[in-house]
Amino acid sequence: SYVPFCSDFGPVHIAAVAEFCSLVRRYIDDVRLASRHLVFYCDANEEHVTNSLFLLGAYLVLEENWCPENAAKQLESVHPSLCQPFRDIADTPSTFDLSILDCLRGLHQAVKAGIFDLHAFNKEEYYALDEFAFMQIVCPKFIAFPGPKDHCEKLGDFSPQHFLNVFRSLSVSAVVRLNDPTAYSKETFENAGF
């Protein structure tokens, strides 16, 4: 399930998508189950239904090579009132919602652009970086992470120094600040060569 930071609601993370696709593929390829139907179900919670449909659509796009539109069309039998749109983290009313189709299109584009390869995806690395500092390798040239803070008692050490060795090991060459300039001193990264 999706773990929100604030008022956000998004699709499950990419490691969950990869694990789901692998699990479904194992069941489908199991010759002992060849004469049986595979049934996937969830409770009626809107968030669970929405992410379940996203996972099913992701499987069709990633494993069965369906186009996003055809995958989403297969999911239309679920009544729209059981789903909710994905939205950003802002604690205000959403001004831009994303549909399951939007997310499937993004996933499809990531595959076409070579940013994501289901069969080369390293979930251990993903989870290690996520556990270290909620970091995610978006593609080989882009790593997303919540901005460092000079002082963050709630989350532990999120100072810029905390990230330096990991950034070096991942061949990071630049850090683009998108958060409040008062959150941390940029000199820490600059003095370290970033």
Side-chain angles (χ1 to χ4, degrees), residues 109-117 137-140:
Q109 286 298 324
V111 171
K112 280 178 42 180
I115 293 172
F116 179 71
D117 179 344
I137 296 177
V138 177
C139 69

Side-chain angles (χ1 to χ4, degrees), residues 98-181:
L98 289 173
S99 67
I100 293 170
L101 177 57
D102 293 326
C103 295
L104 294 177
R105 285 176 174 157
L107 193 56
H108 182 67
Q109 286 298 324
V111 171
K112 280 178 42 180
I115 293 172
F116 179 71
D117 179 344
L118 177 64
H119 303 291
F121 179 73
N122 185 334
K123 71 178 182 182
E124 287 76 22
E125 180 182 51
Y126 176 92
Y127 283 123
L129 288 173
D130 186 54
E131 185 176 313
F132 171 74
F134 309 115
M135 295 172 66
Q136 298 179 9
I137 296 177
V138 177
C139 69
K141 294 192 176 239
F142 183 73
I143 300 167
F145 73 108
K149 291 176 112 21
D150 282 331
H151 306 287
C152 186
E153 295 173 22
K154 181 180 174 187
L155 296 174
D157 186 5
F158 261 65
S159 67
Q161 294 85 353
H162 180 70
F163 295 93
L164 297 179
N165 288 334
V166 173
F167 283 177
R168 285 187 189 105
S169 73
L170 295 171
S171 301
V172 170
S173 60
V175 174
V176 177
R177 183 199 312 250
L178 299 176
N179 60 351
D180 181 358

Side-chain angles (χ1 to χ4, degrees), residues 18-38:
E19 289 174 358
F20 179 81
C21 289
S22 175
L23 177 69
V24 172
R25 176 55 57 202
R26 265 197 320 274
Y27 282 126
I28 288 175
D29 289 347
D30 190 330
V31 294
R32 298 170 300 167
L33 303 174
S35 63
R36 298 186 178 188
H37 292 280
L38 180 59

